Amino acid sequence: MFKIIKEGVGTLARCTSISTKHGIIDTPEFMPVGTQATVKSITPKMLKEIGTQIILANTYHLYLKPGSKVIRKAGGLHKFCGWDGPILTDSGGFQIFSLKATKISENGAYFPSIFNGSSHFITPEDSIRIQEELGSDIMMVLDICPAGTGSYLHVADAVDTTTKWAKRCKTSKKNDNLLFGIIQGGIYEDLRLRSTEMICEIDFDGFAIGGLSVGENKADFHRIMSYTAQLLPRDKPHYLMGVGKPSDIVESVNMGIDLFDCVMPTRNARNGQLFTKHGTVSIKNSQFIENFNPIENSCNCYCCKNFTLSYLNHLYHTHELLYYTLATIHNLQYMHNLMMTIRKAIKNDNFYEFRRLFYRKIDQVPSEIYGLKYLDIQ
Ligand SMILES: [Zn+2]
């Protein structure tokens, strides 16, 4: 199910392929997030046109609404939402443990619904059963994800419970879809090492680094990402959870990460922030009122081929629904093109050079292109 296609030169970056029941994923790849079984404002057909290989859906939300039993009766998540490619589901852990009212017991977690406040209890076995009912191609173990500022003792506790729960998840799995383990350990290297050793011993189909991009500072992010990525077994897929900022992706690919997900490209699109090769621009700006160029001349997306910055600025300010669709298409196309360029660079043995140019470009942002100051998103 996992093949290394090409290893980079002078880098840990690699091109791999992951086989699932709904298709093969070429990595490094970014997964758009479809929290409620939909990537907000665009259709599965549009995702296919962009070139998206795999989407992520959130178990926490789908368990609460419409419920995994409804989705199972509908024929599974793929049929329910009209996406026939691979789907990765998270375990619900990240959402559950980010809620203040959640209480952890040895056996599982008590948590409230974000929809109506009702109380729920989930065990590691429940999480796997729900993900199996959804028909997920890549399932994740139920883990405890402490905040990036969590104390050593608190994080150590989370590492131990995460390991116990990971074993229970593996044991309770009934189908032959893929199951990934999750490494925790916060910003503490010894805890990351302990977590990696214990989780890798359980032998999952792939390994994820969790608990990063959750409030720690940038230096800690890079230190822990690089440290942990190098500990992962090379013969399994590596997934960095919740990370999608282009500059973080390029650096993480360099350390051997294969899969990424984040709401940022789609959420930022809806908030008026559009990605370009030179940084992010805000479509709200009045300087776009009479700019009849596309977001980017070189972009091959449906939005850039057919619409201007002026029109997008108008749609944004008049709260037209089409704005959300067009902006999302563009930002996801940007992510897709970035990942394609990364894969090509690795295959051509010039990822090292690509990375050097990528950072030089965003360090020297030509802010005069649009006569604007770029936001600090890259
Ligand atoms: Zn575009």
Side-chain angles (χ1 to χ4, degrees), residues 295-296 299-305 329-331 333-334:
I295 303 166
E296 260 190 322
C299 180
N300 54 335
C301 85
Y302 172 72
C303 174
C304 289
K305 276 187 182 161
I329 287 175
H330 171 77
N331 275 7
Q333 190 74 60
Y334 172 92

Side-chain angles (χ1 to χ4, degrees), residues 163-181:
T163 307
K164 284 180 203 154
W165 288 5
K167 284 180 191 155
R168 286 168 54 185
C169 285
K170 173 100 194 257
T171 311
S172 71
K173 178 173 169 278
K174 291 189 180 67
N175 70 20
D176 58 353
N177 292 349
L178 307 180
L179 176 63
F180 283 14

Side-chain angles (χ1 to χ4, degrees), residues 272-331:
Q273 293 174 30
L274 304 173
F275 294 177
T276 79
K277 282 180 189 158
H278 304 287
T280 301
V281 292
S282 174
I283 196 64
K284 307 169 194 180
N285 200 295
S286 59
Q287 295 191 40
F288 290 130
I289 292 173
E290 291 190 13
N291 188 327
F292 303 110
N293 295 308
I295 303 166
E296 260 190 322
N297 277 315
S298 59
C299 180
N300 54 335
C301 85
Y302 172 72
C303 174
C304 289
K305 276 187 182 161
N306 294 283
F307 305 97
T308 63
L309 286 159
S310 169
Y311 183 59
L312 291 167
N313 174 278
H314 159 71
L315 292 181
Y316 180 86
H317 284 296
T318 48
H319 310 290
E320 280 295 335
L321 299 181
L322 182 59
Y323 167 76
Y324 299 107
T325 303
L326 295 178
T328 302
I329 287 175
H330 171 77
N331 275 7

Side-chain angles (χ1 to χ4, degrees), residues 166-299:
K167 284 180 191 155
R168 286 168 54 185
C169 285
K170 173 100 194 257
T171 311
S172 71
K173 178 173 169 278
K174 291 189 180 67
N175 70 20
D176 58 353
N177 292 349
L178 307 180
L179 176 63
F180 283 14
I182 303 178
I183 317 286
Q184 288 291 345
I187 56 168
Y188 309 103
E189 286 177 21
D190 61 324
L191 294 182
R192 286 284 171 182
L193 176 62
R194 189 162 112 200
S195 182
T196 308
E197 284 174 351
M198 293 193 298
I199 294 294
C200 291
E201 213 182 286
I202 305 172
D203 190 28
F204 289 102
D205 300 306
F207 295 96
I209 302 176
L212 281 179
S213 257
V214 289
E216 77 283 356
N217 66 43
K218 211 68 205 162
D220 282 337
F221 167 82
H222 282 292
R223 180 175 58 83
I224 294 297
M225 180 277 292
S226 310
Y227 176 78
T228 315
Q230 291 180 74
L231 299 173
L232 300 176
R234 294 287 288 168
D235 61 347
K236 294 282 171 78
H238 305 164
Y239 164 29
L240 181 56
M241 303 179 81
V243 170
K245 211 165 152 182
S247 58
D248 292 341
I249 286 183
V250 172
E251 206 43 37
S252 307
V253 165
N254 189 44
M255 300 312 297
I257 299 293
D258 308 308
L259 287 172
F260 300 89
D261 81 281
C262 192
V263 294
M264 196 195 69
T266 41
R267 181 179 289 167
N268 283 16
R270 299 194 300 277
N271 290 335
Q273 293 174 30
L274 304 173
F275 294 177
T276 79
K277 282 180 189 158
H278 304 287
T280 301
V281 292
S282 174
I283 196 64
K284 307 169 194 180
N285 200 295
S286 59
Q287 295 191 40
F288 290 130
I289 292 173
E290 291 190 13
N291 188 327
F292 303 110
N293 295 308
I295 303 166
E296 260 190 322
N297 277 315
S298 59
C299 180

Side-chain angles (χ1 to χ4, degrees), residues 137-151:
D137 296 287
I138 304 178
M139 304 184 283
M140 302 301 299
V141 297
L142 184 66
D143 62 326
I144 296 183
C145 179
T149 49
S151 73

